[in-house]
């Protein structure tokens, strides 16, 4: 026999579980979360998308969306979500998601299968949704580092709903070695992870640009 849960007024296309959390992807109602086997449901911050698929890797939740909305990503059970659609033009409808062998795969409508490095896609996390008063770029920690370090930065409220933020790493000659962030971000405080395991020891620089804001800081990789 079947009994209906408290989520009784939505068309549900996808389901996923992470620990005690059950996620339901709905038809233009976004993602709902239950922590008590469906007795109650809470709509997450992704509240107006048609969610067709999920993939979960540790604390990382990916949602594939209909209507050319691509992939969204959350590290905090849906309290906040980031778009992860860089490199797609146009952004596809995503019907299927799979995480395996350190890659995330997307099955799309009309554009076949795409893949992206899992370590690259989860390299940025929203650590606070409080709105900062100004842009800021913090010193990486630890510094010196070997081989991983974290870089915190803040995005204030601007006229547009979101702002294209770019964070890149350069070697001492000015050659770009890695792009850490290149996406539109809502106001908040973020943390990006830089992995220098494939680089030589030395001095590197990281530069953040967003609108008219630009700042560069130095860091040292010691192996």
């Amino acid at each position: 026999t079947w009994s209906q849960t408290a989520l009784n007024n939505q068309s549900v296309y996808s389901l996923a579980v992470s620990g005690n959390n059950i996620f339901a992807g709905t038809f233009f109602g976004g993602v709902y979360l239950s922590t008590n086997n469906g007795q109650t449901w809470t709509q997450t911050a992704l509240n107006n998308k048609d969610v067709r698929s999920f993939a979960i890797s540790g604390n990382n939740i990916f949602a594939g969306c209909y209507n050319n909305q691509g992939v969204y990503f959350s590290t905090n059970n849906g309290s906040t979500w980031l778009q992860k659609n860089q490199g797609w033009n146009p952004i596809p409808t995503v019907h299927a998601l799979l995480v395996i062998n350190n890659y995330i795969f997307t099955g799309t409508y009309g554009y076949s299968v795409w893949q992206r490095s899992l370590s690259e896609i989860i390299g940025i996390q929203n650590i606070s949704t409080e709105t900062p008063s100004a842009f800021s770029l913090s010193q990486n920690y630890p510094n010196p580092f070997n081989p991983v370090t974290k870089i915190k930065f803040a995005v204030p409220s601007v006229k547009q709903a979101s702002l294209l933020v770019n964070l890149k790493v350069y070697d001492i000659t000015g050659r770009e070695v890695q792009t850490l962030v290149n996406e539109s971000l809502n106001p908040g405080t973020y943390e990006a992870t830089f992995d220098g395991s494939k680089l030589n020891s030395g001095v590197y620089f990281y530069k953040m640009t967003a609108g008219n804001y630009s700042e560069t800081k130095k860091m040292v990789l010691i192996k």
Side-chain angles (χ1 to χ4, degrees):
T1 59
W2 292 83
S3 59
Q4 192 172 34
T5 75
L7 189 63
N8 55 18
N9 61 349
Q10 299 288 333
S11 295
V12 178
Y13 283 108
S14 50
L15 292 165
V17 62
S18 176
N20 293 322
N21 300 318
I22 301 172
F23 298 91
T26 68
F27 177 72
F28 289 106
V31 176
Y32 281 78
L33 167 65
S34 177
T35 61
N36 52 18
N37 288 324
Q39 295 179 37
T40 57
W41 295 85
T42 303
Q43 194 176 33
T44 74
L46 193 64
N47 55 19
N48 60 353
K49 306 298 181 188
D50 184 350
V51 179
R52 296 299 177 97
S53 55
F54 288 112
I56 293 179
S57 176
N59 293 324
N60 306 302
I61 304 160
F62 301 92
C65 298
Y66 185 71
N67 200 29
N68 301 103
Q69 293 294 313
V71 173
Y72 284 77
F73 164 62
S74 178
T75 62
N76 51 20
N77 291 325
S79 295
T80 57
W81 297 84
L82 292 173
Q83 276 190 314
K84 288 294 179 178
N85 295 326
Q86 301 78 20
W88 273 324
N89 186 21
I91 298 172
T93 287
V94 174
H95 281 301
L97 288 169
L98 172 69
V99 174
I100 190 171
N101 296 332
N102 295 317
Y103 281 90
I104 180 168
F105 292 83
T106 59
T108 67
Y109 177 79
Y111 295 95
S112 298
V113 178
W114 296 66
Q115 69 177 24
R116 188 170 177 179
S117 167
L118 187 62
S119 61
E120 186 271 330
I121 202 172
I122 65 176
I124 174 177
Q125 297 189 23
N126 185 199
I127 59 176
S128 174
T129 56
E130 293 185 12
T131 302
S133 59
F135 287 105
S136 66
L137 179 64
S138 300
Q139 186 64 51
N140 65 298
Y141 179 83
N143 187 43
F145 66 98
N146 177 27
V148 175
T149 189
K150 295 185 180 296
I151 301 170
K152 188 167 69 174
F153 61 94
V155 178
S157 179
V158 292
K159 290 183 180 180
Q160 55 267 51
S162 60
L163 185 69
L164 181 65
V165 177
N166 190 280
L167 180 61
K168 294 184 177 182
V169 178
Y170 302 86
D171 64 18
I172 198 167
T173 69
R175 180 180 64 91
E176 180 185 328
V177 297
Q178 190 172 336
T179 297
L180 299 178
V181 181
N182 183 28
E183 58 192 275
S184 295
L185 297 177
N186 294 320
T189 301
Y190 297 84
E191 189 175 71
T193 301
F194 174 59
D195 185 348
S197 57
K198 297 181 180 180
L199 300 173
N200 296 324
S201 297
V203 175
Y204 292 86
F205 298 90
Y206 56 98
K207 180 180 181 181
M208 174 182 166
T209 57
N212 295 324
Y213 172 82
S214 178
E215 187 170 357
T216 302
K217 290 185 179 292
K218 181 174 70 173
M219 59 183 174
V220 180
L221 171 61
I222 298 178
K223 293 186 175 180

